[in-house]
Amino acid sequence: MSGTLYGIGVGPGDPELMTLKAVRKIRECATVAVPGRNPEESTAFQIAVRACPEIKDKKLIGIHMPMTKDEEKLKENHEAGAFLLTEHLKKGMDIAFLTLGDPTVYSTYLYLHKIVRKQGFLAEIISGIPSFCAAAARMETGLAEKDQALHIIPAAYEVEEWLELSGTKVFMKAGKQLAKVKKKLSEKNLDGRMIENCGMRDEKLYGSINEIPQEAGYYSLIIVKEQEDVQ
């Protein structure tokens, strides 16, 4: 009988924000998969191991996920990763695939999930706390109130058109795009607050667009609210 693949969100960085279900399922699985060639160097692994130290003794699988927009390369790596996972599933192994935040929000796990399910294997998603929710809590601000809209935006792409939308705008993974995002915000006379490495040991908070540096780490997130809602 084949095993089951579990896509598990480990939250944004603080191991105490991992759900009880995530911790339980990781403990139940004999095999743990993480994005990256070296599993123990993965950020997701480093978060989870602080809540589940025993995963160091489990079978670890590294799934290479290159940072590229090349569709062909992405497809090749997704198929190769799914093949590696299904080879273990065929042996009856349940696999906990660790991913930052929530598996349904800009997660590479989803591509593997779809391929594995299409091939007839069982796969489930276990939700985790998204980074933008944790970031808003750290900033002590709301994301959406009354009839406000909430827009989650990948900062690696063009952002100008999104700034025209009403409501709260969250720019995800903004690190290398900070100069561009800051310039567009200034042009629109908008302000924003940023958190870098939310919930991690090297977390940094920036209270305004003027405080935000020109470049920061990959796990940087900017929250932009309408002027009357800025606290």
Side-chain angles (χ1 to χ4, degrees), residues 196-222:
E196 181 180 4
N197 299 329
C198 181
M200 301 181 193
R201 289 165 177 162
D202 53 351
E203 174 187 279
K204 294 179 183 177
L205 287 165
Y206 302 91
S208 71
I209 192 69
N210 292 327
E211 295 179 17
I212 296 173
Q214 291 295 103
E215 191 169 319
Y218 180 70
Y219 301 116
S220 295
L221 179 151
I222 300 174

mmCIF file of all heavy atoms in Angstrom, residues 196-222:
data_model
loop_
_atom_site.group_PDB
_atom_site.id
_atom_site.type_symbol
_atom_site.label_atom_id
_atom_site.label_comp_id
_atom_site.label_asym_id
_atom_site.label_seq_id
_atom_site.Cartn_x
_atom_site.Cartn_y
_atom_site.Cartn_z
ATOM 1 N N GLU A 196 11.471 41.970 8.226
ATOM 2 C CA GLU A 196 12.426 41.064 7.591
ATOM 3 C C GLU A 196 12.632 39.860 8.499
ATOM 4 O O GLU A 196 12.845 40.001 9.692
ATOM 5 C CB GLU A 196 13.761 41.797 7.379
ATOM 6 C CG GLU A 196 14.836 40.973 6.706
ATOM 7 C CD GLU A 196 16.129 41.758 6.515
ATOM 8 O OE1 GLU A 196 16.207 42.915 6.975
ATOM 9 O OE2 GLU A 196 17.067 41.200 5.903
ATOM 10 N N ASN A 197 12.494 38.658 7.944
ATOM 11 C CA ASN A 197 12.666 37.412 8.706
ATOM 12 C C ASN A 197 11.723 37.341 9.903
ATOM 13 O O ASN A 197 12.138 37.122 11.040
ATOM 14 C CB ASN A 197 14.122 37.266 9.164
ATOM 15 C CG ASN A 197 15.090 37.199 8.006
ATOM 16 O OD1 ASN A 197 14.747 36.712 6.939
ATOM 17 N ND2 ASN A 197 16.289 37.706 8.201
ATOM 18 N N CYS A 198 10.445 37.505 9.637
ATOM 19 C CA CYS A 198 9.431 37.502 10.695
ATOM 20 C C CYS A 198 9.485 36.223 11.537
ATOM 21 O O CYS A 198 9.445 35.112 11.003
ATOM 22 C CB CYS A 198 8.045 37.643 10.074
ATOM 23 S SG CYS A 198 6.699 37.673 11.267
ATOM 24 N N GLY A 199 9.588 36.401 12.845
ATOM 25 C CA GLY A 199 9.585 35.262 13.761
ATOM 26 C C GLY A 199 10.901 34.533 13.884
ATOM 27 O O GLY A 199 11.016 33.587 14.659
ATOM 28 N N MET A 200 11.908 34.971 13.123
ATOM 29 C CA MET A 200 13.208 34.324 13.190
ATOM 30 C C MET A 200 14.130 35.087 14.149
ATOM 31 O O MET A 200 13.804 36.182 14.611
ATOM 32 C CB MET A 200 13.838 34.247 11.791
ATOM 33 C CG MET A 200 12.973 33.477 10.798
ATOM 34 S SD MET A 200 13.732 33.362 9.143
ATOM 35 C CE MET A 200 12.326 32.782 8.174
ATOM 36 N N ARG A 201 15.265 34.508 14.440
ATOM 37 C CA ARG A 201 16.154 35.104 15.433
ATOM 38 C C ARG A 201 16.722 36.440 14.986
ATOM 39 O O ARG A 201 17.066 37.290 15.811
ATOM 40 C CB ARG A 201 17.286 34.120 15.759
ATOM 41 C CG ARG A 201 16.789 32.909 16.566
ATOM 42 C CD ARG A 201 17.794 31.790 16.581
ATOM 43 N NE ARG A 201 17.340 30.674 17.412
ATOM 44 C CZ ARG A 201 17.828 29.454 17.341
ATOM 45 N NH1 ARG A 201 18.781 29.172 16.464
ATOM 46 N NH2 ARG A 201 17.367 28.495 18.134
ATOM 47 N N ASP A 202 16.833 36.653 13.672
ATOM 48 C CA ASP A 202 17.385 37.902 13.148
ATOM 49 C C ASP A 202 16.290 38.802 12.577
ATOM 50 O O ASP A 202 16.519 39.567 11.640
ATOM 51 C CB ASP A 202 18.447 37.627 12.093
ATOM 52 C CG ASP A 202 17.937 36.709 10.981
ATOM 53 O OD1 ASP A 202 16.831 36.160 11.120
ATOM 54 O OD2 ASP A 202 18.650 36.554 9.970
ATOM 55 N N GLU A 203 15.100 38.733 13.154
ATOM 56 C CA GLU A 203 13.967 39.550 12.722
ATOM 57 C C GLU A 203 14.279 41.044 12.861
ATOM 58 O O GLU A 203 14.893 41.481 13.828
ATOM 59 C CB GLU A 203 12.737 39.204 13.557
ATOM 60 C CG GLU A 203 11.529 40.076 13.305
ATOM 61 C CD GLU A 203 10.407 39.794 14.288
ATOM 62 O OE1 GLU A 203 9.666 38.827 14.075
ATOM 63 O OE2 GLU A 203 10.289 40.545 15.288
ATOM 64 N N LYS A 204 13.831 41.824 11.869
ATOM 65 C CA LYS A 204 13.997 43.282 11.917
ATOM 66 C C LYS A 204 12.693 43.949 11.489
ATOM 67 O O LYS A 204 12.038 43.511 10.545
ATOM 68 C CB LYS A 204 15.125 43.728 10.981
ATOM 69 C CG LYS A 204 16.507 43.248 11.391
ATOM 70 C CD LYS A 204 17.564 43.703 10.394
ATOM 71 C CE LYS A 204 18.945 43.169 10.772
ATOM 72 N NZ LYS A 204 19.974 43.558 9.751
ATOM 73 N N LEU A 205 12.328 45.019 12.184
ATOM 74 C CA LEU A 205 11.123 45.775 11.882
ATOM 75 C C LEU A 205 11.491 47.170 11.401
ATOM 76 O O LEU A 205 12.409 47.795 11.933
ATOM 77 C CB LEU A 205 10.231 45.888 13.123
ATOM 78 C CG LEU A 205 9.483 44.623 13.562
ATOM 79 C CD1 LEU A 205 8.963 44.786 14.977
ATOM 80 C CD2 LEU A 205 8.337 44.324 12.618
ATOM 81 N N TYR A 206 10.756 47.659 10.386
ATOM 82 C CA TYR A 206 10.974 48.998 9.860
ATOM 83 C C TYR A 206 9.626 49.715 9.859
ATOM 84 O O TYR A 206 8.671 49.260 9.236
ATOM 85 C CB TYR A 206 11.543 48.934 8.450
ATOM 86 C CG TYR A 206 12.854 48.178 8.362
ATOM 87 C CD1 TYR A 206 12.862 46.800 8.108
ATOM 88 C CD2 TYR A 206 14.080 48.819 8.540
ATOM 89 C CE1 TYR A 206 14.058 46.092 8.037
ATOM 90 C CE2 TYR A 206 15.276 48.124 8.466
ATOM 91 C CZ TYR A 206 15.260 46.767 8.214
ATOM 92 O OH TYR A 206 16.439 46.066 8.142
ATOM 93 N N GLY A 207 9.558 50.863 10.542
ATOM 94 C CA GLY A 207 8.280 51.525 10.783
ATOM 95 C C GLY A 207 7.757 52.423 9.682
ATOM 96 O O GLY A 207 6.608 52.852 9.735
ATOM 97 N N SER A 208 8.575 52.719 8.678
ATOM 98 C CA SER A 208 8.117 53.588 7.595
ATOM 99 C C SER A 208 8.944 53.325 6.347
ATOM 100 O O SER A 208 9.993 52.674 6.414
ATOM 101 C CB SER A 208 8.243 55.064 7.992
ATOM 102 O OG SER A 208 9.609 55.444 8.032
ATOM 103 N N ILE A 209 8.485 53.876 5.240
ATOM 104 C CA ILE A 209 9.190 53.677 3.982
ATOM 105 C C ILE A 209 10.597 54.273 4.036
ATOM 106 O O ILE A 209 11.528 53.767 3.410
ATOM 107 C CB ILE A 209 8.372 54.286 2.807
ATOM 108 C CG1 ILE A 209 8.941 53.834 1.464
ATOM 109 C CG2 ILE A 209 8.316 55.784 2.907
ATOM 110 C CD1 ILE A 209 8.751 52.385 1.163
ATOM 111 N N ASN A 210 10.760 55.342 4.817
ATOM 112 C CA ASN A 210 12.076 55.985 4.929
ATOM 113 C C ASN A 210 13.078 55.118 5.685
ATOM 114 O O ASN A 210 14.288 55.230 5.476
ATOM 115 C CB ASN A 210 11.949 57.347 5.610
ATOM 116 C CG ASN A 210 11.201 58.350 4.753
ATOM 117 O OD1 ASN A 210 11.288 58.318 3.529
ATOM 118 N ND2 ASN A 210 10.443 59.226 5.396
ATOM 119 N N GLU A 211 12.599 54.266 6.573
ATOM 120 C CA GLU A 211 13.476 53.389 7.350
ATOM 121 C C GLU A 211 13.895 52.146 6.576
ATOM 122 O O GLU A 211 14.913 51.527 6.881
ATOM 123 C CB GLU A 211 12.782 52.956 8.645
ATOM 124 C CG GLU A 211 12.496 54.086 9.623
ATOM 125 C CD GLU A 211 11.781 53.581 10.870
ATOM 126 O OE1 GLU A 211 11.811 52.348 11.118
ATOM 127 O OE2 GLU A 211 11.181 54.400 11.587
ATOM 128 N N ILE A 212 13.110 51.780 5.583
ATOM 129 C CA ILE A 212 13.366 50.547 4.838
ATOM 130 C C ILE A 212 14.626 50.699 3.987
ATOM 131 O O ILE A 212 14.765 51.680 3.257
ATOM 132 C CB ILE A 212 12.158 50.207 3.938
ATOM 133 C CG1 ILE A 212 10.919 49.920 4.810
ATOM 134 C CG2 ILE A 212 12.461 48.995 3.054
ATOM 135 C CD1 ILE A 212 9.637 49.728 4.013
ATOM 136 N N PRO A 213 15.558 49.751 4.067
ATOM 137 C CA PRO A 213 16.797 49.842 3.281
ATOM 138 C C PRO A 213 16.540 49.580 1.796
ATOM 139 O O PRO A 213 15.438 49.192 1.396
ATOM 140 C CB PRO A 213 17.677 48.753 3.891
ATOM 141 C CG PRO A 213 16.690 47.746 4.419
ATOM 142 C CD PRO A 213 15.529 48.543 4.916
ATOM 143 N N GLN A 214 17.558 49.775 0.984
ATOM 144 C CA GLN A 214 17.435 49.554 -0.454
ATOM 145 C C GLN A 214 17.422 48.066 -0.806
ATOM 146 O O GLN A 214 16.966 47.677 -1.873
ATOM 147 C CB GLN A 214 18.582 50.236 -1.198
ATOM 148 C CG GLN A 214 18.500 51.758 -1.168
ATOM 149 C CD GLN A 214 17.282 52.283 -1.907
ATOM 150 O OE1 GLN A 214 16.284 52.680 -1.278
ATOM 151 N NE2 GLN A 214 17.335 52.289 -3.221
ATOM 152 N N GLU A 215 17.937 47.236 0.076
ATOM 153 C CA GLU A 215 17.958 45.793 -0.160
ATOM 154 C C GLU A 215 17.926 45.076 1.183
ATOM 155 O O GLU A 215 18.464 45.566 2.170
ATOM 156 C CB GLU A 215 19.203 45.395 -0.952
ATOM 157 C CG GLU A 215 19.168 43.964 -1.459
ATOM 158 C CD GLU A 215 20.275 43.669 -2.458
ATOM 159 O OE1 GLU A 215 20.557 44.527 -3.308
ATOM 160 O OE2 GLU A 215 20.841 42.562 -2.382
ATOM 161 N N ALA A 216 17.269 43.937 1.224
ATOM 162 C CA ALA A 216 17.178 43.154 2.465
ATOM 163 C C ALA A 216 17.083 41.683 2.092
ATOM 164 O O ALA A 216 17.149 41.309 0.926
ATOM 165 C CB ALA A 216 15.972 43.597 3.295
ATOM 166 N N GLY A 217 16.903 40.832 3.095
ATOM 167 C CA GLY A 217 16.830 39.400 2.872
ATOM 168 C C GLY A 217 15.590 38.982 2.094
ATOM 169 O O GLY A 217 14.618 39.736 1.962
ATOM 170 N N TYR A 218 15.641 37.759 1.575
ATOM 171 C CA TYR A 218 14.554 37.221 0.745
ATOM 172 C C TYR A 218 13.219 37.241 1.473
ATOM 173 O O TYR A 218 12.176 37.546 0.887
ATOM 174 C CB TYR A 218 14.921 35.797 0.332
ATOM 175 C CG TYR A 218 13.901 35.105 -0.532
ATOM 176 C CD1 TYR A 218 13.679 35.507 -1.842
ATOM 177 C CD2 TYR A 218 13.171 34.022 -0.048
ATOM 178 C CE1 TYR A 218 12.749 34.867 -2.650
ATOM 179 C CE2 TYR A 218 12.238 33.368 -0.843
ATOM 180 C CZ TYR A 218 12.034 33.793 -2.138
ATOM 181 O OH TYR A 218 11.115 33.160 -2.924
ATOM 182 N N TYR A 219 13.232 36.933 2.778
ATOM 183 C CA TYR A 219 11.985 36.860 3.541
ATOM 184 C C TYR A 219 11.646 38.226 4.138
ATOM 185 O O TYR A 219 11.588 38.416 5.352
ATOM 186 C CB TYR A 219 12.100 35.807 4.634
ATOM 187 C CG TYR A 219 12.405 34.437 4.100
ATOM 188 C CD1 TYR A 219 13.595 33.790 4.419
ATOM 189 C CD2 TYR A 219 11.520 33.780 3.247
ATOM 190 C CE1 TYR A 219 13.887 32.531 3.914
ATOM 191 C CE2 TYR A 219 11.807 32.531 2.732
ATOM 192 C CZ TYR A 219 12.990 31.912 3.072
ATOM 193 O OH TYR A 219 13.281 30.673 2.567
ATOM 194 N N SER A 220 11.415 39.185 3.245
ATOM 195 C CA SER A 220 11.023 40.534 3.646
ATOM 196 C C SER A 220 9.611 40.791 3.134
ATOM 197 O O SER A 220 9.279 40.446 1.993
ATOM 198 C CB SER A 220 11.988 41.574 3.077
ATOM 199 O OG SER A 220 13.278 41.407 3.623
ATOM 200 N N LEU A 221 8.797 41.426 3.958
ATOM 201 C CA LEU A 221 7.390 41.619 3.634
ATOM 202 C C LEU A 221 6.993 43.052 3.982
ATOM 203 O O LEU A 221 7.303 43.536 5.070
ATOM 204 C CB LEU A 221 6.557 40.602 4.420
ATOM 205 C CG LEU A 221 5.051 40.587 4.288
ATOM 206 C CD1 LEU A 221 4.525 39.164 4.529
ATOM 207 C CD2 LEU A 221 4.385 41.537 5.279
ATOM 208 N N ILE A 222 6.328 43.726 3.054
ATOM 209 C CA ILE A 222 5.898 45.113 3.265
ATOM 210 C C ILE A 222 4.372 45.168 3.311
ATOM 211 O O ILE A 222 3.692 44.589 2.457
ATOM 212 C CB ILE A 222 6.405 46.027 2.138
ATOM 213 C CG1 ILE A 222 7.939 46.009 2.078
ATOM 214 C CG2 ILE A 222 5.907 47.458 2.338
ATOM 215 C CD1 ILE A 222 8.503 46.784 0.896
#
